[in-house]
């Protein structure tokens, strides 16, 4: 694991910009301690700025309002201090981690460019390092050179990669991958799929077929994990909803948290769909995918309060 | 689900009976809705603030045009202002006379630079240029392979140096273009985080080495509030000239496009609307403004129909229609064309006003599927000659399709009506009533070709 805790690195990224939630909250606090409408509106605005979305933001403000009354929180500063706990509570879910529990066949899915292939490489490396026998399936047969990209990650992780030619049926790749996993007596199968927009019915149907084949062939339970990019805005919730409807998702991986975007959209995703976040991507290195910690996440989202 | 801005404003103004002039109170209520609509579309928060202030100022005291309701009047103003903010008219790619001209693409990871590079190469190739693509992403595994595979589809050469220094690769790429008589170099760079000092310095160094005619920043349409942070940093460190917005074929509102435009002042030049290499289009400010506001976009609907409906099938169908032969098989083919365009709910969203229908009456996604199942449960003879279908056949068909006999009856009735309509059209046409629209019941089935751009 990397030497600096990821929330520290995220916080570092945060201090570089004043556009973040923390910056806005500081401005809000500077206007005075009073808990008036202007304060609550400002708080809601700040949460929308963190990409949490209108609905999740107004609910959060409502909850904090009630907490403030119930616990007689004295001023704005006390309310803001509670914000981290509230966000953390919102994203805390009891969840099985398909990469860390028993044998599993995990499909990694998502829209284009969120970091699925990179995440597969990192997950395979971590699981293999933890003593799992991993096989990777290269089912992104659409994007040019996706197969070559995953092959490099497989080499880095020391994990075999099952592939077919560019343009092959992804379900057939999954079939082969599971056969290979049986032959190697593997206990974790990770399948990379092509990025697709949730608005394409054909591509979503293709993904459903991939899952059906996996469920039919796999000796292990099949899990579907959605990869969401932290820079994603309000469309993230629509993505999650559509992928969930098609595949009955099990969990979410949040990538690219090492920038200035803090992934507030997952608060809305967890709120609406009840899907747990299990990993966060914090860099380009093979070890830069770490377990999700609600408090650290919420702390980074809110930023430093001065 | 958010409604579109027009509906929201209609509901705000429905309480107002009078017309005449927009008062301050009316406008304030409306501006709250405008603000929320823009924030939900991921438009940068500060941009929203200044935009709303500007619209408010213009709206108060405005005469409501005779043909419009107060709500429509505000929408009109909002749309005009938003279009203006987006850059007025479309902007083109201006290259100098220098040979080779150089275009460089930059952006965050996963925004779609490599694909956009290839799409741009194709577009400019069609305009008579001979491009050379230069692969300066030496970090992401197989990035150069990806560029090469895409370029191979276009017959465009790629300059790559595995394990090389990106600045040197760019410089050598330009030399290579001179040596091989290519008049355009497109430099694809690695995705980088705007806070990564070393990588931003590298991008600036590549720029200094090849002095591009145009540096384009590639921005994912799905980006949230963070778009401004990235855009500002890239503007400061690399100083781009224009923007390519990608992944607009999804359903993201694309407010990030407006944010980038308003924060950096750089125009949006192209939009990416699909995974294929021809899916790069010039930018239309008004369409983008409507999209951000969630307003119906009939132009997109027609384009979507044209891009998915297979021209051969449509032509065959039209020929059959003209012969007065329209069988259940043709009906089935037409249904399948419609289904290819995506979910009915998505299509409905593009039709202005469609969301005013009651929620449950809006669409029945299953209906198309059931109709298809019914037709597929018929024998070829039955499809050709529905009059054959008697009671016992109906029962068999219902069983095969997993529907009730009633539904089979309904379907056949609808089909008979459709057939009748077509016959009438035939007669009308033969009688010389010109100008009647021919063709299908669904949008886009007409063989009228609306040129893309």
């Amino acid at each position: 694991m990397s030497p600096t805790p990821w929330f520290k690195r995220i916080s570092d990224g945060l201090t570089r910009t004043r556009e973040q939630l923390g910056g806005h909250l500081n401005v809000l606090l500077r206007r005075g301690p009073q808990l008036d409408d202007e304060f609550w509106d400002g708080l809601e605005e700040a949460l929308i700025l963190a990409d949490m979305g209108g609905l999740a933001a107004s609910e959060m403000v409502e909850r904090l309002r009630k907490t403030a009354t119930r616990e007689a929180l004295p001023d704005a500063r006390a309310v803001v201090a509670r914000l981290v706990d509230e966000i953390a509570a919102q994203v805390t879910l009891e969840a099985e981690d398909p990469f860390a529990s028993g044998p599993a066949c995990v499909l990694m899915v998502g829209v284009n460019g969120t970091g699925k292939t990179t995440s597969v490489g990192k997950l395979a490396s971590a699981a293999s390092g933890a003593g799992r026998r991993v096989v990777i399936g290269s089912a992104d047969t659409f994007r040019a050179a996706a197969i070559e990209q995953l092959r490099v990650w497989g080499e880095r992780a020391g994990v075999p990669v099952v592939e077919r030619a560019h343009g092959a049926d992804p379900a057939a790749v999954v079939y082969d991958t599971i056969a290979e996993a049986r032959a190697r007596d593997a206990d974790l199968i990770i399948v990379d799929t092509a990025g697709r927009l949730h608005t394409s019915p054909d591509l979503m149907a293709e993904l459903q077929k991939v899952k059906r084949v996996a469920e039919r062939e796999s000796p292990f339970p099949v899990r579907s994990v959605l990869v969401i990019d932290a820079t994603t805005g309000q469309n993230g919730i629509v993505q999650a909803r559509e992928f969930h409807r098609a595949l009955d998702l099990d969990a979410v991986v949040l990538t690219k948290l090492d920038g200035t975007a803090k992934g507030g959209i997952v608060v809305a995703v967890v709120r609406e769909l009840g899907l747990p976040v299990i990993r966060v991507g914090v860099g380009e290195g093979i070890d830069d995918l770490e377990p999700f910690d609600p408090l650290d996440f919420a702390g980074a989202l809110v930023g430093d309060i001065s | 689900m958010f409604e579109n801005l027009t509906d929201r404003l209609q509901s705000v103004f429905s309480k107002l009976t009078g017309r005449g002039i927009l008062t301050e109170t009316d406008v304030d209520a409306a501006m709250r809705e405008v603000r929320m609509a823009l924030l939900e579309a991921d438009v940068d928060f500060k941009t929203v603030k200044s935009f709303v202030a500007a619209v408010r100022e213009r709206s108060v005291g405005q005469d409501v045009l005779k043909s419009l309701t107060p709500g429509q009047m505000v929408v009109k103003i909002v749309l005009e202002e938003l279009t203006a903010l987006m850059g007025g008219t479309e902007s083109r790619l201006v290259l100098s006379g220098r040979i080779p001209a150089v275009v460089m693409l930059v952006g965050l990871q996963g925004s779609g630079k490599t694909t956009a590079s290839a799409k741009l190469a194709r577009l400019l190739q069609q305009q008579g240029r001979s491009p050379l693509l230069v692969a300066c992403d030496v970090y992401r595994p197989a990035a150069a392979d990806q560029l090469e595979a895409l370029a191979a589809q276009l017959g465009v050469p790629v300059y790559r140096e595995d394990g090389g220094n990106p600045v040197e690769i760019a410089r050598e790429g330009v030399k290579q273009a001179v040596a091989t008589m290519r008049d355009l170099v497109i430099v694809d760079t690695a995705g980088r985080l705007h806070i990564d000092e070393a990588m931003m310095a590298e991008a600036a160094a590549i720029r200094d080495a090849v002095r591009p005619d145009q540096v384009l920043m590639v921005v994912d349409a799905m980006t949230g509030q963070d778009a401004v942070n990235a855009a500002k940093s890239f503007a400061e460190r690399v100083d781009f000239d224009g923007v390519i917005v990608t992944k607009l074929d999804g359903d993201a509102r694309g407010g990030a496009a407006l944010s980038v435009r308003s924060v950096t002042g750089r125009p949006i030049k192209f939009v990416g609307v699909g995974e294929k290499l021809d899916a790069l289009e010039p930018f239309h400010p008004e369409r983008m403004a409507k999209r951000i506001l969630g307003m119906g976009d009939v132009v997109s609907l027609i384009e979507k129909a044209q891009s998915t409906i297979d021209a051969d099938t449509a032509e065959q169908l039209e020929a059959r229609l003209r012969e007065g032969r329209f069988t259940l098989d043709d009906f089935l083919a037409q249904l399948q064309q419609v289904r290819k365009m995506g979910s009915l709910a998505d299509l409905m969203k593009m039709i202005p006003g469609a969301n005013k229908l009651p929620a449950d009456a809006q669409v029945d996604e299953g209906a198309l599927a059931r109709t298809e199942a019914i037709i597929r449960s018929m024998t070829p003879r039955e499809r050709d000659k529905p009059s054959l279908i008697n009671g016992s056949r109906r029962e068999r068909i219902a069983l095969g399709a997993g529907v009730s006999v009633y539904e089979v009856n309904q379907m056949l009735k609808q089909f008979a009506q459709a057939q009748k309509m077509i016959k009438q059209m035939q007669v009308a046409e033969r009688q010389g009533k010109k100008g009647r629209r021919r063709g299908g019941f669904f949008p886009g089935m007409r063989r009228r070709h609306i040129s893309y751009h």
Side-chain angles (χ1 to χ4, degrees):
Chain A
M1 288 285 147
S2 35
T4 333
W6 66 267
F7 60 87
K8 174 71 168 65
R9 274 188 277 159
I10 293 172
S11 306
D12 288 350
L14 194 82
T15 53
R16 294 189 193 109
T17 169
R18 306 174 119 256
E19 300 302 318
Q20 296 302 314
L21 182 51
H24 276 265
L25 290 177
N26 285 329
V27 172
L28 194 60
L29 288 175
R30 247 172 265 139
R31 60 175 274 283
Q34 64 276 28
L35 292 173
D36 50 12
D37 280 351
E38 202 180 324
F39 170 78
W40 295 114
D41 285 352
L43 190 60
E44 187 176 340
E45 217 155 60
L47 295 174
I48 289 173
L49 253 177
D51 289 325
M52 263 175 61
L55 219 54
S58 65
E59 249 184 45
M60 180 74 65
V61 167
E62 216 31 62
R63 197 163 328 127
L64 276 167
R65 247 187 151 136
K66 283 191 185 131
T67 310
T69 317
R70 194 176 56 241
E71 299 179 15
L73 294 178
D75 56 16
R77 196 162 285 276
V79 171
V80 170
R82 285 300 294 270
L83 182 60
V84 174
D85 296 334
E86 288 288 344
I87 295 175
Q90 175 104 64
V91 293
T92 301
L93 286 177
E94 279 302 317
E96 172 214 26
D97 182 338
F99 301 101
S101 37
C105 172
V106 190
L107 310 178
M108 303 295 286
V109 301
V111 298
N112 314 63
T114 54
K116 283 175 296 301
T117 306
T118 305
S119 295
V120 168
K122 291 172 176 178
L123 285 161
S125 167
S128 160
R132 304 286 297 267
R133 287 182 305 280
V134 188
V135 173
I136 294 175
S138 194
D140 181 354
T141 57
F142 179 81
R143 178 164 62 90
I147 295 168
E148 288 81 354
Q149 185 182 352
L150 194 56
R151 198 181 295 152
V152 173
W153 280 110
E155 277 162 23
R156 286 184 192 168
V159 168
V161 179
V162 177
E163 56 186 50
R164 279 197 175 197
H166 178 77
D169 180 357
V173 177
V174 171
Y175 185 95
D176 289 354
T177 308
I178 293 170
E180 180 74 16
R182 282 179 193 273
R184 288 177 179 261
D185 196 25
D187 60 2
L188 180 63
I189 300 164
I190 307 177
V191 177
D192 183 28
T193 65
R196 65 200 74 218
L197 292 179
H198 51 284
T199 47
S200 162
D202 288 355
L203 293 180
M204 293 307 275
E206 177 191 90
L207 208 49
Q208 287 175 317
K209 179 181 171 195
V210 165
K211 187 172 184 191
R212 275 199 306 278
V213 169
E215 277 172 340
R216 196 180 67 214
E217 298 299 324
S218 169
F220 318 134
V222 175
R223 303 282 180 248
S224 314
V225 174
L226 179 70
V227 181
I228 295 185
D229 178 334
T231 57
T232 310
Q234 294 314 297
N235 193 244
I237 188 78
V238 188
Q239 288 167 24
R241 202 182 285 145
E242 291 299 315
F243 274 94
H244 192 42
R245 197 166 70 171
L247 297 175
D248 191 15
L249 297 171
D250 296 280
V252 168
V253 166
L254 181 62
T255 58
K256 307 187 197 173
L257 261 182
D258 44 339
T260 45
K262 294 298 156 263
I265 189 64
V266 298
V267 179
V269 170
V270 174
R271 177 195 157 278
E272 180 177 321
L273 302 173
L275 293 171
V277 183
I278 51 168
R279 290 282 196 288
V280 289
V282 292
E284 295 193 275
I286 199 160
D287 295 325
D288 293 333
L289 193 67
E290 305 191 355
F292 176 72
D293 182 315
L295 263 180
D296 290 347
F297 168 78
L301 190 70
V302 171
D304 294 327
I305 302 299
S306 54
Chain B
M1 216 46 229
F2 13 80
E3 310 153 61
N4 77 43
L5 185 67
T6 316
D7 292 346
R8 289 171 161 207
L9 292 182
Q10 301 289 26
S11 75
V12 169
F13 286 109
S14 63
K15 292 162 216 129
L16 304 170
T17 45
R19 288 204 175 175
I21 283 175
L22 291 173
T23 69
E24 211 155 307
T25 334
D26 304 343
V27 172
D28 281 344
M31 287 309 112
R32 207 191 128 71
E33 298 299 325
V34 173
R35 190 179 147 271
M36 279 316 291
L38 293 175
L39 285 174
E40 276 167 1
D42 296 318
V43 178
D44 157 56
F45 163 81
K46 280 185 191 154
T47 307
V48 171
K49 266 198 169 160
S50 54
F51 176 77
V52 167
V55 171
R56 186 180 181 283
E57 196 176 327
R58 210 191 122 183
S59 302
V60 173
Q62 273 266 358
D63 272 331
V64 176
L65 294 178
K66 266 221 175 76
S67 54
L68 301 179
T69 65
Q72 287 166 336
M73 188 68 208
V74 174
V75 168
K76 183 175 175 292
I77 296 171
V78 168
L79 197 57
E80 281 169 11
E81 290 288 321
L82 202 53
T83 307
L85 191 58
M86 206 79 81
T89 55
E90 57 188 84
S91 172
R92 306 195 71 88
L93 197 61
V94 182
L95 299 176
S96 69
R98 174 171 68 128
I99 304 272
V102 179
V103 178
M104 172 179 170
L105 272 66
V106 296
L108 299 175
Q109 285 98 341
S111 52
K113 284 173 300 304
T114 304
T115 309
S117 299
K119 285 177 176 176
L120 198 59
R122 181 189 172 278
L123 193 83
L124 294 172
Q125 188 183 30
Q126 287 201 323
Q127 293 172 11
R129 292 275 185 168
S130 4
L132 170 77
L133 284 158
V134 180
C136 286
D137 182 356
V138 297
Y139 308 99
R140 180 162 61 91
D145 295 339
Q146 184 184 352
L147 192 63
E148 218 160 48
L150 295 172
Q153 295 176 30
L154 304 171
V156 167
V158 171
Y159 183 80
R160 63 185 286 183
E161 261 178 55
D162 294 356
N165 169 317
V167 181
E168 284 310 312
I169 296 173
R171 215 192 308 264
E172 287 302 314
V174 176
K175 280 189 199 159
Q176 174 86 3
V178 174
T180 56
M181 313 273 282
R182 312 300 292 186
D183 63 1
L184 172 70
V185 174
I186 298 175
V187 181
D188 179 29
T189 64
R192 60 201 76 223
L193 275 175
H194 53 286
I195 54 170
D196 187 331
E197 285 301 324
M199 288 297 283
M200 292 304 276
E202 181 204 276
I206 295 175
R207 179 204 61 202
D208 293 343
V210 298
R211 292 182 294 109
D213 295 88
Q214 291 269 310
V215 179
L216 300 177
M217 180 175 179
V218 179
V219 176
D220 184 333
M222 298 184 275
T223 316
Q225 294 286 334
D226 198 48
V228 285
N229 296 331
K232 267 189 208 158
S233 302
F234 274 97
E236 277 164 24
R237 302 295 307 270
V238 194
D239 192 20
F240 57 90
D241 304 286
V243 178
I244 299 179
V245 180
T246 59
K247 305 181 202 172
L248 269 174
D249 45 331
D251 54 4
R253 289 281 171 86
L258 179 63
S259 310
V260 171
R261 160 81 206 181
S262 87
V263 167
T264 66
R266 309 302 198 276
I268 299 159
K269 305 255 181 186
F270 299 102
V271 294
V273 292
E275 296 195 86
K276 293 194 182 127
L277 291 184
D278 58 1
L280 186 74
E281 299 182 350
F283 172 69
H284 297 287
E286 189 182 335
R287 281 202 215 168
M288 192 71 215
K290 283 191 172 165
R291 181 183 181 125
I292 289 175
L293 296 174
M295 292 163 67
D297 186 352
V298 177
V299 181
S300 296
L301 179 66
I302 292 169
E303 285 184 355
K304 186 159 190 176
Q306 288 195 325
S307 67
T308 34
I309 284 171
D310 149 31
D312 290 345
T313 317
E315 252 166 68
Q316 277 173 19
L317 190 62
E318 188 178 335
R320 294 175 67 83
L321 285 175
R322 293 169 72 89
E323 288 162 24
R325 282 177 47 78
F326 182 70
T327 66
L328 281 160
D329 268 323
D330 299 322
F331 190 54
L332 183 64
Q334 209 168 16
L335 276 183
Q336 282 164 339
Q337 297 274 18
V338 173
R339 291 187 72 186
K340 252 166 60 185
M341 294 202 292
S343 81
L344 281 179
D346 284 346
L347 293 178
M348 292 289 280
K349 274 185 221 148
M350 294 190 208
I351 303 173
N355 49 2
K356 275 193 214 115
L357 298 169
D360 55 341
Q362 274 199 4
V363 280
D364 179 3
E365 299 280 350
L368 285 184
R370 282 197 298 278
T371 306
E372 203 177 320
I374 292 171
I375 300 177
R376 286 189 181 285
S377 302
M378 296 175 184
T379 66
R381 276 196 66 206
E382 285 166 349
R383 293 185 206 178
D384 203 43
K385 215 173 162 210
S387 58
L388 281 177
I389 305 175
N390 59 18
S392 79
R393 284 179 193 256
R394 279 170 207 238
E395 262 172 53
R396 192 205 76 236
I397 292 165
L399 212 61
V403 300
S404 66
V405 176
Y406 171 75
E407 279 172 285
V408 176
N409 289 338
Q410 284 293 102
M411 192 261 134
L412 286 170
K413 216 169 167 184
Q414 276 171 12
F415 176 70
Q417 279 167 358
Q419 246 184 344
K420 209 167 133 194
M421 239 171 63
I422 289 163
K423 289 235 169 73
Q424 282 167 353
M425 275 158 52
Q426 299 296 313
V427 175
E429 201 163 309
R430 250 175 262 134
Q431 286 168 350
K433 281 187 191 164
K434 292 267 150 59
R436 275 296 277 276
R437 279 170 172 176
R438 301 192 294 267
F441 322 106
F442 303 107
M445 288 304 293
R446 267 167 275 128
R447 224 180 70 192
R448 186 163 57 105
H449 285 287
I450 295 168
S451 71
Y452 252 61
H453 300 291

